[in-house]
Amino acid sequence: MRKSSVQVAVAGAGPAGAIAARQLGLAGLDVVLIDPFVTPAGHLIESFPASGAPLAEEIGLLAAICDVSDGPAEAMRMAWRDVPETRAFEGAGPLLLDRIALHEKLRAEALRHVAPLQARLRGVVTSGRKVKLSTSAGTIRCDMLIDARGRQAQKRAASDMTALPFSAVNDLPPHQMWLEALPDGWVWACSLGGGVMQGAVFQRAAVLAGMRGPARAAYVADCLAGTDTFVGARGIDAGQPAAAGLSAAADPLVSNRHILVGDAALARDPIASHGLVHAMRSGVQGALAVLTALDRDCDSQAAFSFMRHKHREAVAAARLATQRAYADQSRFETPFWATCAPPRVIPDQPDIGQGAVTLAAPLTRAPVLENDRIRWRPAIELSASDSFLTGSGSITALDIAAACRPAAPLPEIANRLGRQHDMPAVFEVLERLTLGGAFVQAAVAP
């Protein structure tokens, strides 16, 4: 019999939701995973960069991910700038993953530790210490909800960029990736064994609006025919278009009982890559926040501050990567590309002069992860990057604050820290603090 009350409900069994549910189940919590459990739509191949391997290994899922891989890509062939180029990965290329098999694998890993509820989440009401969930299979109550239902989880501005997935047959070498700019869009594709090619054409949503199956396939054929690489493609089949541009929630916390993770919090533009790694990391962070919030020995506000800080970091990194990638395109100067890459705003570098300096703001506190729980630690505000520093190596924020009293020139502050710490580490942390806007010129006594 299905339970009517659990500690944690996770809505959405994509990578972020499945991983969050699995981590909480492994920690011993009573968890239900709510999802229709249908085959995911969209493109059929995910690329998983080598940078995500340490996280996957740390949570015990690297072997499962490798199981659904067609192998690593050997090179990325780019027609993005004036001169085409090829980037060889030399054995460290991203894994080309079967997307459907990946979702099924991660769900299976989660369901070894949590209970499934095959249903759609229709409504969320938070009251006191409980969350009431209305689903297509009935009502369930929980202490906390992790919402991983993707872009549709929360109402926010729709993305103007759309991905039109396709498959085709082409006489291309296997395990290659392609990125090619078009006058009014761009295409990403990869080649698998047997001449099979999978990819997506990226275009403004208005261009693809109202197209049906045959028209979508014809549109993909026209796009590929205009390239040097894919002109011989045949057997083209196009799927359903899906939103693809960068879209971020203003706050990953709908309430202190309702946390957004994965695409529900931040959906990256595919041009910036690393979308799967972000989903995995977001799921792990959401699980850690819930573990902390439900632990009576911890301060739940540290967990919520941690989620907001990580969200701001992820959004800033995604926006910068997206902007750089679009600005790097130099093959075409068309209205499409003019609106893709707005001019970058380079912040002014802090200028603190040569005299005595002190911390720009009093010592504060910041949330940090320690032994699977999030806790407050003394921190120094970095106003230039909207971040903070709790320490670097053996040097703590308390050490730095003590070295700044009384105010002194930076060389003297370095000497004070150098009495207990290695000077290379001292110089590194002081440079980070300076660039982060942590110091200001000390006021001159009258």
Side-chain angles (χ1 to χ4, degrees):
M1 180 178 178
R2 180 175 62 83
K3 292 186 291 186
S4 61
S5 180
V6 294
Q7 286 180 288
V8 183
V10 178
I19 287 173
R22 176 180 177 272
Q23 295 301 106
L24 292 169
L26 283 170
L29 270 63
D30 184 18
V31 183
V32 63
L33 181 58
I34 306 171
D35 193 86
F37 298 109
V38 296
T39 302
H43 56 280
L44 300 178
I45 296 294
E46 291 271 12
S47 64
F48 183 67
S51 61
L55 173 61
E57 186 172 26
E58 181 181 346
I59 62 176
L61 287 176
L62 184 57
I65 290 173
C66 290
D67 285 346
V68 297
S69 169
D70 192 66
E74 296 175 1
M76 168 71 87
R77 303 180 186 274
M78 301 178 65
W80 198 253
R81 303 186 183 92
D82 297 334
V83 179
E85 59 182 302
T86 298
R87 298 180 183 177
F89 292 121
E90 298 180 350
L95 295 177
L96 301 177
L97 308 178
D98 182 316
R99 183 168 178 260
I100 294 175
L102 171 68
H103 282 232
E104 291 176 347
K105 190 78 170 181
L106 294 179
R107 290 172 183 174
E109 290 288 332
L111 294 178
R112 292 171 55 194
H113 308 282
V114 306
L117 176 59
Q118 187 171 3
R120 294 187 183 278
L121 181 60
R122 291 175 172 170
V124 180
V125 177
T126 302
S127 178
R129 296 185 178 182
K130 289 290 183 181
V131 183
K132 180 181 176 182
L133 308 177
S134 300
T135 79
S136 56
T139 301
I140 191 168
R141 287 175 171 78
C142 60
D143 297 326
M144 295 198 72
L145 167 66
I146 291 183
D147 198 336
R149 291 176 293 157
R151 294 172 184 262
Q152 70 271 24
Q154 295 293 307
K155 292 181 180 179
R156 57 182 190 246
S159 167
D160 188 37
M161 188 68 74
T162 302
L164 179 58
F166 69 86
S167 61
V169 177
N170 210 335
D171 300 323
L172 296 170
H175 298 109
Q176 307 289 309
M177 295 170 61
W178 284 268
L179 180 66
E180 183 156 349
L182 307 173
D184 297 307
W186 56 279
V187 59
W188 174 87
C190 66
S191 57
L192 308 174
V196 176
M197 183 175 71
Q198 301 280 355
V201 174
F202 296 85
Q203 178 54 271
R204 298 295 184 199
V207 175
L208 302 175
M211 284 189 185
R212 303 301 178 192
R216 289 195 293 264
Y219 177 79
V220 171
D222 287 343
C223 290
L224 298 184
T227 69
D228 295 332
T229 303
F230 308 120
V231 67
R234 56 194 183 276
I236 297 171
D237 183 35
Q240 293 279 349
L246 190 149
S247 177
D251 191 337
L253 271 72
V254 180
S255 73
N256 287 352
R257 301 279 166 184
H258 185 174
I259 297 176
L260 304 176
V261 300
D263 283 1
L266 166 63
R268 291 174 64 105
D269 189 312
I271 194 65
S273 187
H274 296 171
L276 179 56
V277 178
H278 160 69
M280 294 174 59
R281 183 180 297 113
S282 179
V284 171
Q285 290 170 351
L288 291 168
V290 168
L291 285 170
T292 301
L294 295 181
D295 190 332
R296 294 183 179 180
D297 294 330
C298 297
D299 184 351
S300 60
Q301 293 305 314
F304 305 145
S305 178
F306 175 84
M307 287 299 295
R308 289 185 169 114
H309 171 67
K310 292 300 182 183
H311 181 68
R312 289 196 302 270
E313 280 189 336
V315 171
R319 284 177 175 159
L320 181 59
T322 300
Q323 191 176 59
R324 283 175 173 171
Y326 282 128
D328 203 30
Q329 191 282 138
S330 57
R331 293 186 74 200
F332 301 102
E333 295 182 5
T334 61
F336 173 89
W337 291 104
T339 57
C340 279
R344 290 182 58 196
V345 177
I346 302 175
D348 296 331
Q349 294 296 321
D351 182 11
I352 58 173
Q354 301 296 319
V357 299
T358 187
L359 291 177
L363 204 64
T364 184
R365 65 177 186 171
V368 297
L369 178 61
E370 292 182 358
N371 300 322
D372 294 334
R373 294 293 187 274
I374 301 162
R375 306 181 190 280
W376 294 113
R377 289 294 177 261
I380 295 171
E381 182 181 342
L382 304 180
S383 58
S385 58
D386 189 24
S387 185
F388 55 80
L389 179 82
T390 57
S392 179
S394 64
I395 306 173
T396 68
L398 291 173
D399 294 334
I400 298 165
C404 292
R405 294 192 295 266
L410 277 177
E412 174 57 25
I413 293 175
N415 287 335
R416 293 172 184 173
L417 284 170
R419 294 166 190 164
Q420 294 181 323
H421 305 282
D422 293 335
M423 289 307 292
V426 169
F427 292 142
E428 182 180 343
V429 75
L430 289 181
E431 180 181 23
R432 180 177 171 188
L433 289 166
T434 302
L435 294 176
F439 295 120
V440 292
Q441 197 76 36
V444 179

Coordinates of all heavy atoms in Angstrom, one line a residue, residues 164-223:
L164 N 16.0 21.5 -32.3 CA 15.3 20.5 -33.1 C 16.2 19.3 -33.3 O 17.1 19.3 -34.1 CB 14.9 21.2 -34.5 CG 14.2 20.3 -35.5 CD1 12.9 19.8 -34.8 CD2 13.9 21.0 -36.8
P165 N 15.9 18.2 -32.6 CA 16.8 17.0 -32.7 C 16.5 16.3 -34.0 O 15.4 16.3 -34.5 CB 16.3 16.2 -31.5 CG 14.9 16.6 -31.2 CD 14.8 18.1 -31.6
F166 N 17.6 15.6 -34.4 CA 17.5 14.9 -35.7 C 18.4 13.7 -35.6 O 19.4 13.6 -34.9 CB 17.8 15.7 -36.9 CG 19.2 16.2 -37.0 CD1 20.2 15.3 -37.6 CD2 19.7 17.4 -36.5 CE1 21.5 15.7 -37.7 CE2 21.0 17.7 -36.6 CZ 21.9 16.9 -37.2
S167 N 18.1 12.7 -36.5 CA 19.0 11.6 -36.7 C 19.2 11.5 -38.2 O 18.3 11.9 -39.0 CB 18.5 10.3 -36.1 OG 17.3 10.0 -36.7
A168 N 20.3 10.9 -38.7 CA 20.5 10.8 -40.1 C 21.6 9.7 -40.3 O 22.2 9.2 -39.4 CB 21.0 12.1 -40.7
V169 N 21.8 9.4 -41.6 CA 22.9 8.5 -41.9 C 23.9 9.3 -42.8 O 23.4 10.0 -43.7 CB 22.3 7.3 -42.7 CG1 23.5 6.4 -43.2 CG2 21.3 6.5 -41.9
N170 N 25.1 9.1 -42.5 CA 26.1 9.8 -43.3 C 27.4 9.0 -43.3 O 27.7 8.2 -42.3 CB 26.4 11.2 -42.6 CG 26.8 12.2 -43.7 OD1 27.4 11.9 -44.7 ND2 26.5 13.5 -43.3
D171 N 28.2 9.1 -44.3 CA 29.5 8.4 -44.4 C 30.6 9.2 -43.7 O 31.5 9.8 -44.4 CB 29.8 8.1 -45.9 CG 28.8 7.3 -46.6 OD1 28.2 6.4 -45.9 OD2 28.5 7.6 -47.7
L172 N 30.5 9.2 -42.4 CA 31.5 10.0 -41.6 C 32.2 9.1 -40.6 O 31.7 8.0 -40.2 CB 30.8 11.1 -40.8 CG 30.1 12.2 -41.6 CD1 29.2 13.0 -40.7 CD2 31.1 13.1 -42.3
P173 N 33.4 9.4 -40.3 CA 34.1 8.5 -39.3 C 33.4 8.6 -38.0 O 32.9 9.6 -37.6 CB 35.5 9.2 -39.2 CG 35.3 10.6 -39.7 CD 34.2 10.5 -40.7
P174 N 33.4 7.4 -37.3 CA 32.7 7.3 -36.0 C 33.4 8.1 -34.9 O 34.6 8.4 -35.0 CB 32.7 5.8 -35.7 CG 33.9 5.3 -36.4 CD 34.1 6.1 -37.6
H175 N 32.6 8.4 -33.8 CA 33.1 9.0 -32.6 C 33.8 10.4 -32.9 O 34.8 10.7 -32.3 CB 34.1 8.1 -31.9 CG 33.4 6.8 -31.4 ND1 33.8 5.6 -32.0 CD2 32.5 6.6 -30.5 CE1 33.0 4.7 -31.4 NE2 32.2 5.2 -30.5
Q176 N 33.1 11.2 -33.7 CA 33.5 12.6 -33.9 C 32.3 13.4 -33.5 O 31.2 13.0 -33.4 CB 33.8 12.8 -35.4 CG 34.7 11.8 -36.0 CD 36.2 12.1 -35.5 OE1 36.7 13.2 -35.6 NE2 36.8 11.0 -35.1
M177 N 32.6 14.7 -33.1 CA 31.6 15.7 -32.8 C 31.8 16.9 -33.7 O 32.9 17.2 -34.1 CB 31.7 16.1 -31.3 CG 31.4 15.1 -30.3 SD 31.9 15.5 -28.6 CE 30.8 16.9 -28.4
W178 N 30.7 17.5 -34.1 CA 30.8 18.7 -35.0 C 30.0 19.8 -34.4 O 29.0 19.6 -33.7 CB 30.1 18.4 -36.3 CG 31.0 17.5 -37.2 CD1 31.9 17.9 -38.2 CD2 31.0 16.1 -37.3 NE1 32.5 16.9 -38.8 CE2 32.0 15.7 -38.2 CE3 30.4 15.1 -36.6 CZ2 32.3 14.4 -38.5 CZ3 30.7 13.8 -36.9 CH2 31.6 13.4 -37.8
L179 N 30.5 21.0 -34.6 CA 29.8 22.3 -34.2 C 30.0 23.2 -35.4 O 31.1 23.6 -35.7 CB 30.5 22.9 -32.9 CG 29.9 24.2 -32.4 CD1 28.4 23.9 -31.9 CD2 30.7 24.8 -31.3
E180 N 28.9 23.6 -36.0 CA 28.9 24.4 -37.2 C 27.9 25.5 -37.1 O 26.7 25.3 -36.8 CB 28.7 23.6 -38.4 CG 28.8 24.4 -39.7 CD 29.2 23.5 -40.9 OE1 29.5 22.3 -40.8 OE2 29.1 24.1 -42.0
A181 N 28.4 26.7 -37.3 CA 27.5 27.9 -37.4 C 26.8 28.0 -38.7 O 27.4 27.7 -39.8 CB 28.4 29.2 -37.1
L182 N 25.5 28.3 -38.7 CA 24.7 28.6 -39.8 C 24.4 30.1 -39.9 O 24.5 30.8 -38.8 CB 23.4 27.8 -39.8 CG 23.6 26.3 -39.6 CD1 22.2 25.6 -39.4 CD2 24.4 25.6 -40.8
P183 N 24.0 30.6 -41.0 CA 23.7 32.1 -41.0 C 22.6 32.4 -40.0 O 22.6 33.5 -39.4 CB 23.2 32.3 -42.4 CG 23.8 31.2 -43.2 CD 23.9 30.0 -42.3
D184 N 21.6 31.6 -39.7 CA 20.5 31.9 -38.8 C 20.4 30.7 -37.8 O 19.3 30.3 -37.5 CB 19.2 32.1 -39.5 CG 19.3 33.3 -40.5 OD1 19.7 34.4 -40.0 OD2 19.1 33.1 -41.7
G185 N 21.4 30.2 -37.2 CA 21.4 29.2 -36.2 C 22.7 28.4 -36.2 O 23.7 28.9 -36.7
W186 N 22.6 27.3 -35.6 CA 23.9 26.4 -35.5 C 23.5 25.0 -35.3 O 22.3 24.7 -35.0 CB 24.8 26.9 -34.4 CG 24.3 27.0 -33.0 CD1 23.5 28.0 -32.5 CD2 24.4 26.0 -31.9 NE1 23.2 27.8 -31.1 CE2 23.8 26.6 -30.8 CE3 25.1 24.8 -31.8 CZ2 23.7 25.9 -29.6 CZ3 25.1 24.2 -30.6 CH2 24.4 24.7 -29.5
V187 N 24.4 24.1 -35.6 CA 24.1 22.7 -35.5 C 25.2 22.0 -34.7 O 26.4 22.3 -34.9 CB 24.0 22.0 -36.9 CG1 25.3 22.2 -37.7 CG2 23.6 20.6 -36.9
W188 N 24.8 21.1 -33.9 CA 25.7 20.2 -33.2 C 25.4 18.8 -33.6 O 24.2 18.4 -33.7 CB 25.6 20.3 -31.6 CG 26.4 19.3 -30.9 CD1 27.8 19.5 -30.5 CD2 26.1 18.0 -30.4 NE1 28.2 18.4 -29.9 CE2 27.2 17.4 -29.8 CE3 24.9 17.3 -30.5 CZ2 27.2 16.2 -29.2 CZ3 24.9 16.0 -29.9 CH2 26.0 15.5 -29.3
A189 N 26.4 17.9 -33.8 CA 26.1 16.6 -34.2 C 27.3 15.7 -33.7 O 28.4 16.2 -33.5 CB 25.9 16.4 -35.7
C190 N 27.0 14.4 -33.6 CA 28.0 13.4 -33.3 C 27.8 12.2 -34.2 O 26.7 11.9 -34.6 CB 28.1 13.1 -31.9 SG 26.6 12.2 -31.3
S191 N 28.9 11.5 -34.5 CA 28.8 10.3 -35.4 C 29.0 9.1 -34.5 O 29.9 9.0 -33.7 CB 29.8 10.3 -36.5 OG 31.1 10.5 -36.0
L192 N 28.1 8.1 -34.7 CA 28.2 6.8 -34.0 C 28.7 5.7 -34.9 O 29.0 6.0 -36.1 CB 26.9 6.5 -33.3 CG 26.3 7.6 -32.4 CD1 24.9 7.2 -31.9 CD2 27.2 7.9 -31.3
G193 N 28.7 4.5 -34.5 CA 29.0 3.4 -35.4 C 28.0 3.2 -36.5 O 26.8 3.6 -36.4
G194 N 28.4 2.6 -37.6 CA 27.5 2.3 -38.7 C 27.0 3.5 -39.5 O 26.0 3.4 -40.2
G195 N 27.7 4.6 -39.4 CA 27.3 5.8 -40.2 C 26.1 6.5 -39.6 O 25.6 7.5 -40.2
V196 N 25.7 6.2 -38.4 CA 24.6 6.8 -37.7 C 25.0 8.2 -37.2 O 26.1 8.3 -36.5 CB 24.0 6.0 -36.6 CG1 22.9 6.7 -35.9 CG2 23.4 4.7 -37.2
M197 N 24.3 9.2 -37.4 CA 24.6 10.5 -36.9 C 23.4 11.1 -36.1 O 22.2 10.9 -36.5 CB 24.8 11.5 -38.0 CG 25.2 12.9 -37.6 SD 25.7 13.9 -39.1 CE 24.1 14.1 -39.9
Q198 N 23.7 11.6 -34.9 CA 22.7 12.2 -34.1 C 23.0 13.7 -33.8 O 24.2 14.0 -33.7 CB 22.5 11.5 -32.7 CG 22.2 10.1 -32.8 CD 20.7 9.8 -33.0 OE1 19.9 10.8 -33.0 NE2 20.3 8.6 -33.2
G199 N 22.1 14.6 -33.7 CA 22.4 15.9 -33.5 C 21.2 16.8 -33.3 O 20.1 16.3 -33.0
A200 N 21.4 18.1 -33.3 CA 20.3 19.1 -33.2 C 20.6 20.3 -33.9 O 21.8 20.8 -33.9 CB 20.0 19.3 -31.7
V201 N 19.6 20.9 -34.5 CA 19.7 22.3 -35.1 C 19.1 23.2 -34.1 O 18.0 23.0 -33.5 CB 18.9 22.3 -36.4 CG1 18.9 23.8 -37.0 CG2 19.6 21.4 -37.4
F202 N 19.8 24.3 -33.9 CA 19.3 25.4 -32.9 C 18.9 26.6 -33.6 O 19.7 27.1 -34.5 CB 20.5 25.7 -31.9 CG 20.8 24.5 -31.1 CD1 21.7 23.5 -31.5 CD2 20.2 24.3 -29.8 CE1 22.0 22.4 -30.8 CE2 20.5 23.1 -29.1 CZ 21.4 22.2 -29.5
Q203 N 17.7 27.1 -33.3 CA 17.1 28.2 -34.1 C 16.1 28.9 -33.2 O 15.7 28.4 -32.1 CB 16.4 27.6 -35.3 CG 15.7 28.6 -36.2 CD 16.5 29.7 -36.6 OE1 16.6 30.8 -36.0 NE2 17.2 29.6 -37.8
R204 N 15.7 30.1 -33.6 CA 14.7 30.8 -32.8 C 13.4 30.1 -32.8 O 13.0 29.4 -33.8 CB 14.5 32.2 -33.5 CG 15.7 33.1 -33.5 CD 16.1 33.5 -32.1 NE 17.2 34.4 -32.1 CZ 18.0 34.6 -31.0 NH1 17.8 33.9 -29.9 NH2 19.0 35.5 -31.0
A205 N 12.7 30.1 -31.7 CA 11.5 29.4 -31.6 C 10.4 29.8 -32.6 O 9.7 28.9 -33.1 CB 10.9 29.6 -30.2
A206 N 10.4 31.1 -33.0 CA 9.4 31.5 -34.0 C 9.6 30.9 -35.3 O 8.6 30.6 -36.1 CB 9.4 33.0 -34.1
V207 N 10.8 30.5 -35.7 CA 11.1 29.9 -37.0 C 10.5 28.5 -37.1 O 9.9 28.1 -38.1 CB 12.6 29.9 -37.3 CG1 12.9 29.1 -38.6 CG2 13.1 31.3 -37.3
L208 N 10.5 27.8 -36.0 CA 10.0 26.4 -36.0 C 8.6 26.2 -35.5 O 8.0 25.1 -35.6 CB 10.9 25.5 -35.0 CG 12.4 25.5 -35.4 CD1 13.2 24.8 -34.3 CD2 12.7 24.9 -36.7
A209 N 8.0 27.3 -35.1 CA 6.6 27.3 -34.6 C 5.7 26.8 -35.7 O 5.7 27.3 -36.8 CB 6.2 28.6 -34.1
G210 N 4.8 25.8 -35.3 CA 3.8 25.3 -36.3 C 4.3 24.3 -37.2 O 3.4 23.7 -38.0
M211 N 5.6 24.0 -37.2 CA 6.0 22.9 -38.1 C 5.6 21.5 -37.7 O 5.7 21.2 -36.5 CB 7.6 23.0 -38.2 CG 8.1 24.1 -39.1 SD 9.9 23.8 -39.3 CE 10.3 25.3 -40.2
R212 N 5.2 20.7 -38.6 CA 4.9 19.3 -38.3 C 6.1 18.4 -38.7 O 7.1 18.9 -39.2 CB 3.6 18.9 -39.0 CG 2.4 19.7 -38.7 CD 2.1 19.7 -37.2 NE 1.0 20.6 -36.9 CZ 0.6 20.9 -35.6 NH1 1.4 20.4 -34.6 NH2 -0.4 21.7 -35.4
G213 N 5.9 17.1 -38.5 CA 7.0 16.1 -38.8 C 7.7 16.3 -40.1 O 8.9 16.5 -40.1
P214 N 7.0 16.2 -41.2 CA 7.6 16.3 -42.5 C 8.3 17.6 -42.7 O 9.4 17.7 -43.3 CB 6.5 16.1 -43.5 CG 5.5 15.3 -42.8 CD 5.6 15.8 -41.4
A215 N 7.7 18.7 -42.3 CA 8.3 20.0 -42.4 C 9.5 20.2 -41.6 O 10.5 20.8 -42.0 CB 7.2 21.1 -42.1
R216 N 9.5 19.6 -40.4 CA 10.7 19.7 -39.6 C 11.9 18.9 -40.2 O 13.0 19.4 -40.2 CB 10.4 19.1 -38.2 CG 9.5 20.0 -37.3 CD 9.5 19.6 -35.9 NE 9.0 18.3 -35.6 CZ 7.7 18.1 -35.2 NH1 6.9 19.2 -35.1 NH2 7.3 16.9 -35.0
A217 N 11.6 17.7 -40.7 CA 12.6 17.0 -41.4 C 13.2 17.7 -42.6 O 14.4 17.7 -42.9 CB 12.1 15.6 -41.8
A218 N 12.3 18.4 -43.4 CA 12.7 19.1 -44.5 C 13.6 20.3 -44.1 O 14.6 20.7 -44.8 CB 11.5 19.6 -45.3
Y219 N 13.2 20.9 -43.0 CA 14.0 22.1 -42.5 C 15.4 21.6 -42.1 O 16.4 22.3 -42.5 CB 13.3 22.7 -41.3 CG 14.1 23.8 -40.7 CD1 14.1 25.1 -41.3 CD2 14.8 23.6 -39.5 CE1 14.8 26.1 -40.7 CE2 15.5 24.7 -39.0 CZ 15.5 25.9 -39.6 OH 16.3 26.9 -39.0
V220 N 15.5 20.5 -41.4 CA 16.8 19.9 -41.0 C 17.6 19.6 -42.3 O 18.8 20.0 -42.4 CB 16.7 18.7 -40.2 CG1 18.0 18.0 -40.0 CG2 16.1 19.0 -38.8
A221 N 17.0 19.0 -43.3 CA 17.7 18.7 -44.5 C 18.2 19.9 -45.2 O 19.4 19.9 -45.7 CB 16.7 17.9 -45.5
D222 N 17.5 21.0 -45.2 CA 17.9 22.3 -45.8 C 19.1 22.8 -45.1 O 20.1 23.3 -45.7 CB 16.8 23.3 -45.8 CG 15.7 23.0 -46.9 OD1 16.0 22.2 -47.8 OD2 14.6 23.6 -46.7
C223 N 19.1 22.7 -43.7 CA 20.2 23.3 -42.9 C 21.4 22.4 -43.2 O 22.5 23.0 -43.3 CB 19.8 23.2 -41.4 SG 18.6 24.4 -40.9

